[in-house]
């Protein structure tokens, strides 16, 4: 988050288990102090139940994939992939919903009244004097990589299947 | 006919020219239009000066410049080369801007004295070079203060030092910050409180030199030892370094031991003295328990303990004494003469070994002038102080000539002279009193500015002029108008100091600090009331509280911000209470409650809702 008064920006990193403010945690305090003027409640770790179960969910997913590797059948793999995509979609929705709630559940007696808003999940948004940028970090990219690998694995598995008819070949032939 | 006309024409023309001249003269001369050089005096090459001093918005200066504020009691912090005033550090005087002298602790530190004539700042040193830890500064009431450069705050005011009277002769630091040296300018009968009539001045009044020890970790000042001296006026000092490490040099005047109209009576002798003190020997003697107890402290008498002190004859009424970066030369000047003298430390040692003395004063040997001096440099009139650059360069301020002369050690000849505006006292070169001077810049600390500034009435500021000493030809760069009254200054490379930006929460050990608005509140113990208050954008909590008339109330405010530059204040109306809290800081103010309702508010602008940051002290009548 950049503003004229914050040329070095305020930074907030959201991990699977914690919220970490930049500048040794001070940026989170600062964001909360600023947000209190518009009646937003403090961003607090306790608010995010996700932090409690996401690490375990990731572990469980990993186990599902290990199971698929051990059994080596498509069935186990498809199970794991489906759970993975469900998990991914839910996590994104949950994060978006949290942001929505923070931006909309504003105290009615706030000093500064603003329209409810949703902080950006991806990209840039101008909020008052702040330019807010939100981008995924390594964890999200790794999840995307896993999704890519899953798709690749499915494609390869499908192409390697003896009963396959190759739509690509058919298309090019046509 | 034609000739007549010609003559008449000439007559009229001559008359006309004459009238025009008169008009021109009377019109221009007494009311010359204001020029860019309003006060006249020294000028500079505008293009060079602008390039050298321009620090673009947002860019930082190369050097910190710590300037004594004289009888303002403050230290001023400037940046070089921009000469921008950045900050004021209050030391001996209350300073509402930072709440200094209004909270319980700083009030106690100031004591009953709310002024001090600050003179000679000294940066702490390691190996004879600035280490950027502390800045010491003296004042005339006999005190020395320590400023911590971690937060640029005055942390200690030590003194008044026993037996010291008129502490002009400090604060001069030894090369590893072992001691801050102090000396009396006004000799008195000691211990303080002793009566002696003025006609007993020559025999029963005493000068004193004191060494204040510096704790190597905390910087805390304490009394090391004192030395009893004849009743001269001890003026300014500099510690020996490298070759002369272990020695301390002070100038003295009025060695006539005169009283009355000193401008005359103390100017009779052709030579006064530079006092050479073997401080390592004195420290050893003090450690052995030698000395007599005067004023509650041990004082070493050099008449009884030979080898501690020697007197080096120097031109009449010397002001400054300065030791060269290699420690081999001691530069002293009679301030009414045209030369500065370079004494050779090795020759001083030889003269001491050979007992090459030309007299004595109260049992202290006087070394033979001819045996210890190496050169008399013809610098110009009124030489006061000398600073150093690299490659043996030396710069001497000339009060009467109103100029600075540069010369080189060993060559002993003036290389260049630059006029200054006007009447320079001290001068300060970049790290110019260390073992490793930087050159680059020098500031001339002038006593008079004579209107080289917008007219601000009769109380004119002093001027501090920045001079480029990067090349042999010195160049005037910039006039800054500094508050009364710059004496000495220190210039240190900016990267040697790394101050904090907030007081970290973990370090706040104040017993009354609270870090959560939930922990704020009022507690009572008899008629003593303690209010724990929190300041954070944009509320002072509690927002109101009640006490009884006559209660002794202590308000402890903690600024729980940890954000850079988020200061808060607490101004309590009608009580002369004004606290300013830096982020993470706790301060207290104690007062007796008088009946009525008293608003308090945040004095230090903090946020968009700063104006709402207020509350009420409500005092019930008894």
């Amino acid at each position: 988050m950049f503003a004229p008064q914050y040329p070095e920006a305020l930074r907030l990193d959201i991990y699977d288990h914690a919220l970490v403010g930049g500048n040794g945690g001070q940026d989170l305090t600062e964001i909360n102090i600023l947000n209190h003027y518009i009646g937003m409640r403090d961003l607090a770790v306790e608010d995010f139940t996700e932090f409690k179960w996401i690490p375990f969910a990731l572990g469980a997913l990993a186990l599902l994939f290990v199971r698929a590797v051990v059994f080596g059948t498509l069935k186990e793999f498809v199970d794991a992939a489906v759970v993975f995509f469900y998990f991914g979609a839910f996590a994104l929705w949950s994060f978006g919903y949290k942001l929505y709630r923070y931006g909309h559940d504003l105290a009615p007696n706030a000093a500064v009244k603003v329209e409810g808003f949703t902080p950006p999940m991806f990209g840039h948004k101008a909020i008052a004097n702040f330019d807010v940028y939100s981008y995924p970090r390594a964890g999200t990219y790794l999840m995307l990589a896993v999704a890519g690998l899953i798709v690749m694995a499915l494609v390869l598995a499908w192409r390697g299947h003896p009963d396959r008819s190759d739509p690509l070949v058919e298309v090019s032939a046509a | 006919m034609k000739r007549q006309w010609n003559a008449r024409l000439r007559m009229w023309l001559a008359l006309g020219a004459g009238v025009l001249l008169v008009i021109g003269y009377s019109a221009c001369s007494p009311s010359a239009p204001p020029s860019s050089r309003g006060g006249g005096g020294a000028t500079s090459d505008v293009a060079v000066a602008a390039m050298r001093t321009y620090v673009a918005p947002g860019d930082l200066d190369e050097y910190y410049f710590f300037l004594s504020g004289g009888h303002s009691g403050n230290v001023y912090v400037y940046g070089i080369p921009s000469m921008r005033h950045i900050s004021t550090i209050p030391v001996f005087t209350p300073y509402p801007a930072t709440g200094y002298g209004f909270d319980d602790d700083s009030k106690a530190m100031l004591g009953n004295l709310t002024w001090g004539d600050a003179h000679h700042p000294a940066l702490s040193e390691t190996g004879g070079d600035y280490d950027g830890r502390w800045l010491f500064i003296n004042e005339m009431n006999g005190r020395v203060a320590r400023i911590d450069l971690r937060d640029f705050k005055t942390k200690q005011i030590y003194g008044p030092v026993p037996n010291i009277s008129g502490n002009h002769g400090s604060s001069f630091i030894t090369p590893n910050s072992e001691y801050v040296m102090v000396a009396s300018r006004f000799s008195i009968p000691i211990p303080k409180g002793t009566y002696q009539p003025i006609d007993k001045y020559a025999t029963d009044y005493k000068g004193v030199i004191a060494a204040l020890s510096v704790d190597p970790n905390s910087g805390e000042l304490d009394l090391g030892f004192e030395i009893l001296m004849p009743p001269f006026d001890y003026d300014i000092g500099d510690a020996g370094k490298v070759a002369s490490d272990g020695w301390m040099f002070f100038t003295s005047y009025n060695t006539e031991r005169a009283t009355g109209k000193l401008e005359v009576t103390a100017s009779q002798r052709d030579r006064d003295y530079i006092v050479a003190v073997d401080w390592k020997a004195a420290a050893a003697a003090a450690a052995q328990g030698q000395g007599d107890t005067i004023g509650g402290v041990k004082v070493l008498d050099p008449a009884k303990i030979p080898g501690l002190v020697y007197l080096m004859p120097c031109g009449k009424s010397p002001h400054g004494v300065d030791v060269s970066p290699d420690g081999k030369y001691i530069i002293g000047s009679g301030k009414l003469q045209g030369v500065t003298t370079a004494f050779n430390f090795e020759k001083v040692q030889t003269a001491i070994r050979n007992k090459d003395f030309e007299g004595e004063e109260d049992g202290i040997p006087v070394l033979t002038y001819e045996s210890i001096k190496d050169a008399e440099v013809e610098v110009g009139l009124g030489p006061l102080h000398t600073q150093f650059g690299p490659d043996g360069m030396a710069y001497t301020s000339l009060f009467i000539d109103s100029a600075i002369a540069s010369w080189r050690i060993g060559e002993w000849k003036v290389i260049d002279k630059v006029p200054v505006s006007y009447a320079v006292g001290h001068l300060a070169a970049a790290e110019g009193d260390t073992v490793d001077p930087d050159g680059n810049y020098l500031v001339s600390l002038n006593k008079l500015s004579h209107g080289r500034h917008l007219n601000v009435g009769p109380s004119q500021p002093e001027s501090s002029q920045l001079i480029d000493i990067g090349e042999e030809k010195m160049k005037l760069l910039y006039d800054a108008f500094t508050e009364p009254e710059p004496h000495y200054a220190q210039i240190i490379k900016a990267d040697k100091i790394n101050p904090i930006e907030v007081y970290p929460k973990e370090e706040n050990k104040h017993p009354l600090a609270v870090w959560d608005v939930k922990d704020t509140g009022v507690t009572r113990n008899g008629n003593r009331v303690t209010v724990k208050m929190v300041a954070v954008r944009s509320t002072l909590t509690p927002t109101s509280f009640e006490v009884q008339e006559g209660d002794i109330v202590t308000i402890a405010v903690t600024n729980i911000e940890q954000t850079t530059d988020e200061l808060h204040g607490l101004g309590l109306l009608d009580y002369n209470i004004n606290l300013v809290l830096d982020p993470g800081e706790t301060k207290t103010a104690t007062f007796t409650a008088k009946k009525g309702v008293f608003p308090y508010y945040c004095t230090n602008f903090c946020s968009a809702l700063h104006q709402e940051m207020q509350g009420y002290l409500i005092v019930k009548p008894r």
Side-chain angles (χ1 to χ4, degrees):
Chain A
M1 296 168 64
F2 292 84
Q5 298 87 340
Y6 300 92
E8 280 154 25
L10 297 172
R11 184 182 181 90
L12 180 62
D13 286 318
I14 302 172
Y15 293 95
D16 63 345
H17 62 286
L19 290 169
V20 179
N23 187 20
Q26 175 52 28
D27 285 357
L28 177 57
T29 311
E30 189 65 17
I31 288 167
N32 284 333
I33 286 178
L34 296 175
N35 284 342
H36 101 274
Y37 288 119
I38 58 167
M40 191 190 287
R41 63 178 190 279
D42 281 0
L43 293 166
V45 175
E46 306 83 68
D47 255 18
F48 290 82
T49 46
E50 291 91 332
F51 292 159
K52 293 193 185 117
W53 59 261
I54 285 186
F56 297 103
L58 285 174
L61 272 171
L63 284 176
L64 276 178
F65 282 111
V66 169
R67 175 171 166 266
V69 169
V70 169
F71 285 93
T73 68
L74 201 56
K75 216 160 64 183
E76 278 81 15
F77 181 68
V78 169
D79 286 351
V82 167
V83 174
F84 176 84
F85 283 113
Y86 267 128
F87 167 78
F90 178 76
L92 280 176
W93 170 82
S94 161
F95 177 52
Y97 182 69
K98 274 268 146 56
L99 288 178
Y100 174 87
R101 290 266 59 108
Y102 269 114
H104 287 79
D105 296 346
L106 302 174
N109 64 351
V112 180
K113 306 258 188 303
V114 296
E115 284 285 313
F117 65 97
T118 308
M121 275 181 69
F122 185 88
H124 166 257
K125 190 167 190 171
I127 302 171
N129 57 335
F130 274 91
D131 279 310
V132 183
Y133 296 88
S134 175
Y135 290 106
R137 299 200 62 199
T140 311
Y141 290 121
L142 283 175
M143 292 292 277
L144 285 174
V146 170
L149 285 173
I150 290 170
V151 170
M152 205 157 80
L154 283 173
V155 168
L156 286 176
W158 181 73
R159 285 175 72 162
H161 198 275
D163 295 340
R164 76 183 170 95
S165 55
D166 193 333
L168 290 177
V169 173
E170 283 168 15
V171 167
S172 59
Chain B
M1 192 70 179
K2 199 177 176 187
R3 262 177 61 180
Q4 259 183 9
W5 272 111
N6 271 351
R8 179 157 295 191
L9 190 64
R10 269 197 213 118
M11 186 194 76
W12 283 115
L13 279 174
L15 198 63
V19 168
L20 280 174
L21 267 177
V22 170
I23 292 170
Y25 187 76
S26 56
C28 296
S29 171
S31 57
S35 74
S36 58
R37 312 229 180 280
T43 60
S44 66
D45 180 319
V46 174
V48 172
M51 287 299 288
R52 277 291 264 151
T53 59
Y54 184 68
V55 176
D59 284 354
L60 304 181
D61 281 297
E62 279 174 64
Y63 289 92
Y64 285 98
F65 177 36
F66 293 97
L67 192 60
S68 87
H71 45 287
S72 78
N74 299 323
V75 166
Y76 300 108
V77 186
Y78 283 70
I80 286 179
S82 75
M83 295 302 278
R84 294 181 290 197
H85 174 233
I86 300 169
S87 171
T88 296
I89 307 170
V91 185
F92 299 113
T93 316
Y95 189 66
T98 59
Y100 184 78
F102 291 89
D103 67 293
D104 292 338
D105 288 344
S106 60
K107 233 169 154 172
M109 192 161 66
L110 283 172
N112 295 325
L113 293 165
T114 53
W115 76 286
D117 191 357
H119 270 256
H120 310 115
L123 286 162
S124 56
E125 294 181 7
T126 301
D129 211 352
Y130 299 152
D131 58 23
R133 297 203 286 168
W134 308 297
L135 181 79
F136 299 93
I137 189 159
N138 63 313
E139 66 91 25
M140 293 293 282
N141 291 295
R143 298 177 296 169
V144 176
R146 174 173 48 88
I147 295 160
D148 194 336
L149 295 178
R150 184 173 179 253
D151 59 359
F152 280 52
K153 297 276 172 65
T154 304
K155 289 294 159 68
Q156 185 189 7
I157 297 178
Y158 180 82
V161 182
N163 302 320
I164 288 285
S165 168
N167 178 29
H168 188 277
S170 74
S171 46
F172 305 109
I173 199 154
T174 55
N176 286 298
S177 304
E178 297 94 337
Y179 292 102
V180 168
M181 296 292 182
V182 172
S184 287
R185 180 169 140 198
F186 313 123
S187 292
I188 55 165
I190 57 169
K192 281 184 180 173
T194 305
Y195 165 78
Q196 284 293 348
I198 194 75
D199 57 10
K200 289 276 200 283
Y201 181 85
T203 51
D204 289 35
Y205 285 48
K206 296 290 173 193
V208 171
I209 289 170
L212 305 184
S213 60
V214 180
D215 184 287
N217 298 314
S218 66
E220 196 79 2
L221 292 164
D222 205 351
L223 186 64
F225 56 86
E226 290 194 349
I227 301 173
L228 192 68
M229 295 295 295
F232 309 153
D233 288 42
Y234 299 90
D235 203 2
I236 289 181
D238 193 18
K241 45 180 116 70
V242 197
S244 50
D245 188 14
W247 287 75
M248 180 69 208
F249 304 94
F250 282 105
T251 50
S252 67
Y253 61 98
N254 191 20
T255 59
E256 292 87 346
R257 309 182 187 214
T259 56
K261 203 174 162 67
L262 285 196
E263 61 172 313
V264 176
T265 56
S267 305
Q268 297 304 303
R269 282 179 154 193
D270 277 343
R271 295 228 168 89
D272 291 291
Y273 304 117
I274 289 171
V275 180
V277 181
D278 184 344
W279 65 258
K280 285 195 175 163
Q288 290 163 15
Q290 297 192 56
D292 311 308
T293 303
I294 307 174
V297 299
K298 280 280 174 82
V299 182
L300 303 165
D301 183 349
K304 296 180 191 165
I305 313 166
L308 297 188
V309 182
Y310 298 91
L311 301 175
M312 301 159 55
C314 180
K316 182 192 282 191
S317 303
H319 196 40
V321 56
D322 300 281
V323 180
S324 64
D326 57 10
K328 290 180 179 167
Y329 297 95
I330 301 131
I331 315 298
S333 328
K335 72 182 172 212
L336 302 174
Q337 298 183 322
V339 296
T340 190
T341 304
F343 298 92
N344 186 323
F345 181 72
E346 219 175 280
K347 290 182 178 175
V348 169
Q349 294 302 299
T350 308
I352 291 170
R353 268 197 306 277
N354 298 342
K355 298 201 177 344
D356 187 357
F357 304 146
E358 62 176 45
E360 56 103 20
E361 296 268 6
D362 295 358
I364 302 171
V366 178
L367 304 175
T368 308
Y369 177 75
E370 290 301 332
S371 306
I372 57 173
K373 74 129 211 249
D374 246 19
E376 289 179 345
V377 189
E378 294 186 9
V379 285
L381 276 181
L384 294 185
H385 307 278
T386 299
Q387 290 274 287
F388 302 94
D391 309 321
M393 285 303 293
Y395 304 87
T396 301
S397 61
L398 306 169
F399 180 81
I400 298 172
D401 271 357
S402 189
I404 288 166
S406 67
W407 50 280
R408 191 172 265 122
I409 290 168
E411 294 171 9
W412 315 125
K413 274 203 291 288
V414 168
I415 296 168
D416 189 26
K417 218 177 237 194
V418 61
V420 295
S421 308
Y422 301 89
V424 53
H426 276 275
L427 75 177
E431 312 210 345
D433 59 6
T434 69
V435 296
D436 187 21
D438 282 11
N440 301 332
Y441 301 106
L442 177 149
V443 180
S444 173
L445 302 161
N446 307 321
K447 296 302 178 195
L448 306 171
S449 55
H450 271 326
R452 278 169 69 93
H453 45 74
L454 290 178
N455 191 344
V456 289
S459 188
Q460 300 205 352
E462 268 67 46
S463 83
S464 295
Q465 291 182 298
L466 184 69
I467 292 163
D468 183 347
I469 55 167
E471 292 163 20
E472 280 209 341
K473 181 89 197 139
M474 292 183 282
K475 291 186 281 282
L476 173 64
L477 297 178
Y478 199 88
D479 280 16
F481 299 98
T482 40
E483 284 198 50
E485 171 176 331
H487 291 277
Y488 192 33
Q490 300 269 273
I491 301 173
I492 177 175
K493 195 88 198 221
D495 61 14
K496 286 191 177 173
I497 301 179
N498 291 300
I500 54 169
E501 294 195 350
V502 300
Y503 290 103
K505 179 181 176 184
E506 316 79 72
E507 285 182 23
N508 185 325
K509 305 283 186 233
H510 199 288
L512 296 178
V514 285
W515 284 84
D516 194 317
V517 290
K518 291 200 277 293
D519 301 325
T520 59
V522 181
T523 50
R524 172 179 289 280
N525 183 7
N527 69 336
R528 301 198 71 98
V529 176
T530 304
V531 184
K532 290 181 183 171
M533 189 177 277
V534 154
V536 67
R537 277 164 287 171
S538 301
T539 307
L540 287 159
T541 313
T543 52
S544 71
F545 61 94
E546 274 195 23
V547 299
Q548 293 273 338
E549 182 184 358
D551 283 345
I552 298 164
V553 182
T554 296
I555 304 181
V557 197
T558 304
N559 176 354
I560 66 169
E561 305 272 5
Q562 290 283 280
T563 301
T564 309
D565 214 358
E566 267 309 329
L567 281 67
H568 295 291
L570 178 80
L572 176 59
L573 300 185
D574 301 338
Y575 279 93
N576 197 38
I577 286 172
N578 159 49
L579 309 184
V580 177
L581 298 312
D582 295 348
E585 201 175 26
T586 302
K587 283 182 182 171
T588 62
T590 302
F591 59 92
T592 304
K594 51 194 180 190
K595 69 177 176 204
V597 171
F598 305 93
Y600 51 85
Y601 71 105
C602 178
T603 46
N604 205 104
F605 193 96
C606 59
S607 58
L609 293 169
H610 162 77
Q611 209 68 355
E612 282 68 21
M613 203 163 164
Q614 63 183 55
Y616 288 101
L617 159 66
I618 294 157
V619 185
K620 274 190 204 153
R622 280 226 179 263

